[in-house]
Amino acid sequence: MFYRLFLLLAILFEVTGTISMKYASIHGYQLGHLIMYVMITFSYLCLAIAIKRIPIGIAYALWEGIGTVFIIFFSIILFNDPMSFQKILGLIIIFASIALIESGEKTTSKES
């Protein structure tokens, strides 16, 4: 559970860093770039701790997949990015992939 918490923190830091990067690029807000650098750094540090017990392939897939879902969600809300059929289909595929990865991890840990 401890390492999953660090994976969750890595995802949250990544999303915060990416959203602040977009905000800074739109508004010319230089503090946003500093926030981005700090958040991405924290994200990688937390990911490095998480992979001590979570297989790197699973941790990285979850980090990117869940992060992408949140980034798309916030970009629609905060920046009025359009939501197309292709984005919806992509999100469905991401959710299905995350579910498969999680079920594969549970199956593998039972076999060990």
Side-chain angles (χ1 to χ4, degrees):
M1 184 66 182
F2 175 77
Y3 295 97
R4 286 189 174 268
L5 176 65
F6 275 95
L7 181 57
L8 176 64
L9 288 172
I11 293 165
L12 295 175
F13 287 138
E14 176 202 16
V15 170
T16 303
T18 304
I19 294 299
S20 64
M21 174 180 55
K22 174 73 172 181
Y23 184 83
S25 69
I26 291 173
H27 300 290
Y29 187 56
Q30 294 305 315
L31 183 60
H33 288 111
L34 178 62
I35 292 169
M36 176 198 66
Y37 293 130
V38 170
M39 292 295 114
I40 297 298
T41 300
F42 283 146
S43 178
Y44 275 97
L45 290 172
C46 289
L47 184 62
I49 293 169
I51 63 170
K52 288 182 178 183
R53 291 281 189 253
I54 301 171
I56 190 167
I58 291 170
Y60 188 79
L62 293 174
W63 179 66
E64 280 299 322
I66 296 169
T68 299
V69 169
F70 279 117
I71 289 166
I72 290 171
F73 175 75
F74 285 118
S75 69
I76 291 167
I77 291 174
L78 299 173
F79 306 114
N80 296 317
D81 283 356
M83 186 60 154
S84 65
F85 173 75
Q86 289 86 354
K87 277 187 186 177
I88 293 170
L89 184 59
L91 288 171
I92 291 169
I93 292 169
I94 289 172
F95 281 124
S97 299
I98 290 169
L100 285 171
I101 289 167
E102 280 293 315
S103 68
E105 179 182 18
K106 290 174 186 169
T107 303
T108 304
S109 62
K110 286 179 184 177
E111 293 172 359
S112 299

